Amino acid sequence: MSKMVTIYGGSGFVGRYIARRMAVEGWRVRVAVRRPNEAMFVKTYGVVGQVEPILCNIRDDASVAAAMQGAEAVVNCVGVLNELGKNEFDSVQAQGAERIARLAAENAVLRMVHLSAIGADAGADSVYSRTKAQGEAGVREHFPNALILRPSVIFGNEDQFFNRFAAMARMGPFLPLVGAETRFQPVYVDDVAWAAVKGVLGEADAGVYELGGPEVKTFRALMQQMLDVIHRRRVVVGMPFWAARIMAGVLDIVKFVSFQLFPNNILTRDQVRNLRRDNIVSDNAKGFDDLGIEPAALDSILPEYLWKYRPSGQYDDIQNSAKNMRT
């Protein structure tokens, strides 16, 4: 284990999968996070001392530089879906990404992988999308040979997409959606991790790769598929964008006047803007084919972790089988 990689945000949803794969590859893995005591689970990904969480604040030069000392490669997985406290879109996704790339170049790090998102656009009306694009620009400026990954919505055991709506489906007969006809191309989290690992190992050419799964579906169709997996019947209701903007505006105001005592984890105005645009791989963009990866389909993964939302959980299939025997 002579080689080491530093993964910023390595205990997060995608980062933990990258850390696990890098440990399997025989690398020492340094997981740079704000709260190392909450990331101790990553130590089990390798042998004793192979995977170590360390304290790092992506908003601080000295902290970021210290975390990459001795590393041959760095991976940036830090991002936010909702601003809270000092973790704003600009400070994390734009300035933070640029800081890692600049310091990696100064410290002669050989390779860098940066996790962005489909829809990154400097001219977008969404702050999330604009800062993703600004982060990419900062990475390319200081580390032109970086591998930049733009995944569509990511699914997997710890996701905040299918898990969130499956939990909502247990609460009543209706499932409200904003942007019900917006198209997505869900990608499995471990496939994204595999792509990042190829970048660390030098098995992929530098550049931007857009990562989407084998299926393109509307938000409504994805929720219907999710409902089939959890064996629940719900009426999927598409919420008009004008109504969504009003709702999100009220929730954002409550967050502001309460000095973030009541954070808006339901729906923000910025999220409404993002939901107006399709989240799919662009024509002629480099993707999984160029990386030699065959992405997993939804049907092969969703039942593995959504079973807990079924009426009888893990026993739902057994009960249905017993009903068939009685008839």
Side-chain angles (χ1 to χ4, degrees):
M1 294 185 291
S2 60
K3 296 181 179 181
M4 182 172 67
V5 58
T6 297
I7 306 176
Y8 294 91
S11 66
F13 178 34
V14 181
R16 66 184 66 188
Y17 285 82
I18 300 174
R20 185 184 293 115
R21 278 187 171 270
M22 289 307 305
V24 171
E25 292 290 337
W27 285 50
R28 291 165 56 206
V29 182
R30 188 179 284 161
V31 175
V33 292
R34 286 184 300 148
R35 301 184 182 91
N37 59 307
E38 296 178 7
M40 291 300 175
F41 62 89
V42 301
K43 294 167 72 73
T44 64
Y45 294 166
V47 299
V48 176
Q50 184 181 2
V51 184
E52 290 291 338
I54 65 168
L55 176 66
C56 177
N57 185 340
I58 197 175
R59 300 191 305 273
D60 177 68
D61 274 29
S63 179
V64 172
M68 67 174 65
Q69 286 299 313
E72 183 170 308
V74 297
V75 181
N76 177 33
C77 297
V78 182
V80 291
L81 293 173
N82 189 10
E83 295 180 313
L84 186 63
K86 294 182 179 180
N87 292 315
E88 300 174 340
F89 289 134
D90 181 65
S91 63
V92 173
Q93 297 183 164
Q95 297 179 34
E98 185 272 340
R99 178 174 292 110
I100 293 173
R102 171 170 51 83
L103 294 173
E106 292 176 0
N107 285 274
V109 173
L110 296 181
R111 299 189 185 95
M112 177 176 180
V113 176
H114 172 63
L115 193 69
S116 184
I118 283 181
D121 181 359
D125 57 353
S126 160
V127 182
Y128 173 87
S129 298
R130 285 203 306 271
T131 53
K132 280 291 187 182
Q134 291 163 5
E136 288 186 12
V139 169
R140 284 193 293 267
E141 177 185 354
H142 297 286
F143 212 107
N145 292 326
L147 183 78
I148 298 175
L149 303 177
R150 292 179 177 176
S152 181
V153 61
I154 304 175
F155 69 93
N157 188 56
E158 305 88 357
D159 72 44
Q160 297 181 40
F161 187 68
F162 287 108
N163 275 301
R164 178 181 182 181
F165 288 99
M168 289 173 57
R170 296 189 297 188
M171 299 178 184
F174 301 101
L175 187 63
L177 302 179
V178 178
E181 304 310 316
T182 300
R183 295 183 299 163
F184 292 89
Q185 196 170 349
V187 58
Y188 182 41
V189 60
D190 199 40
D191 291 334
V192 177
W194 189 3
V197 169
K198 281 181 172 287
V200 173
L201 298 179
E203 298 176 357
D205 294 333
V208 178
Y209 293 78
E210 296 195 355
L211 307 181
E215 302 164 277
V216 175
K217 292 187 176 183
T218 64
F219 197 177
R220 184 189 302 274
L222 289 173
M223 292 301 99
Q224 292 290 358
Q225 185 173 359
M226 178 268 293
L227 290 170
D228 290 341
V229 171
I230 65 174
H231 302 166
R232 292 182 185 271
R233 287 186 174 184
R234 296 293 182 265
V235 179
V236 179
V237 180
M239 181 184 295
F241 280 109
W242 63 266
R245 285 196 298 271
I246 294 174
M247 176 181 172
V250 172
L251 292 171
D252 281 344
I253 291 172
V254 170
K255 173 184 174 181
F256 177 76
V257 299
S258 68
F259 298 98
Q260 302 192 23
L261 182 62
F262 297 101
N264 180 7
N265 296 321
I266 301 174
L267 183 68
T268 68
R269 287 171 292 181
D270 203 67
Q271 290 168 348
V272 173
R273 298 185 193 105
N274 269 321
L275 286 167
R276 296 185 71 94
R277 298 191 302 273
D278 289 340
N279 195 267
I280 61 176
V281 173
S282 306
D283 294 336
N284 302 320
K286 291 195 293 186
F288 279 125
D289 287 343
D290 301 276
L291 295 169
I293 298 173
E294 183 177 353
L298 282 166
D299 284 339
S300 65
I301 305 296
L302 290 185
E304 293 183 1
Y305 69 96
L306 292 184
W307 55 264
K308 56 182 174 288
Y309 299 104
R310 294 171 179 171
S312 300
Q314 61 188 354
Y315 303 108
D316 220 46
D317 286 333
I318 298 175
Q319 288 188 349
N320 290 336
S321 178
K323 291 177 182 178
N324 292 334
M325 290 177 67
R326 287 198 299 269
T327 57

